Amino acid sequence: MKKVLIAAMALTLSMSVMTSCRDTKDKTEEASEEAAKSLEEAGEDLERAAEDAADAMKEAGEDAKEMGEKALDSIKKVGEETMDATKEAAKKAIDSM
């Protein structure tokens, strides 16, 4: 009877350990799947952020180009006005002689 009781206790302990190991395995697999999903989402977020940054840089470059063109146009206009004023002043000086 004692041997049967010890065998039953050993069998119960063995079943308990097997169940615990199975639960641990299932939880580990679930955690691995969640981690993989999180990494995939993070990768997608990084990809979107990189695309947004590239778009922003492109837009900033276009804005800078436009500002540079406006500045060149302004400088050209001021130069033309200065030349016109200089020519007019020279003409008046010649006429006044």
Side-chain angles (χ1 to χ4, degrees), residues 9-29:
M9 289 175 65
L11 187 57
T12 303
L13 179 62
S14 175
M15 292 295 285
S16 176
V17 169
M18 282 179 40
T19 302
S20 177
C21 288
R22 189 176 310 128
D23 289 344
T24 302
K25 178 185 173 241
D26 292 344
K27 288 179 183 178
T28 302
E29 287 176 356

Side-chain angles (χ1 to χ4, degrees), residues 3-83:
K3 289 182 181 182
V4 172
L5 184 61
I6 292 174
M9 289 175 65
L11 187 57
T12 303
L13 179 62
S14 175
M15 292 295 285
S16 176
V17 169
M18 282 179 40
T19 302
S20 177
C21 288
R22 189 176 310 128
D23 289 344
T24 302
K25 178 185 173 241
D26 292 344
K27 288 179 183 178
T28 302
E29 287 176 356
E30 186 177 313
S32 295
E33 290 171 3
E34 288 179 16
K37 184 178 177 182
S38 295
L39 285 173
E40 184 178 336
E41 289 173 0
E44 290 170 359
D45 290 345
L46 284 173
E47 185 176 342
R48 272 187 249 121
E51 289 172 359
D52 290 346
D55 290 343
M57 289 176 61
K58 182 179 178 182
E59 187 175 321
E62 290 170 359
D63 290 347
K65 180 181 176 184
E66 186 177 322
M67 290 174 62
E69 289 172 354
K70 285 181 181 179
L72 286 173
D73 289 343
S74 295
I75 291 169
K76 183 179 176 183
K77 185 177 177 183
V78 168
E80 289 173 354
E81 290 173 358
T82 302
M83 287 299 291

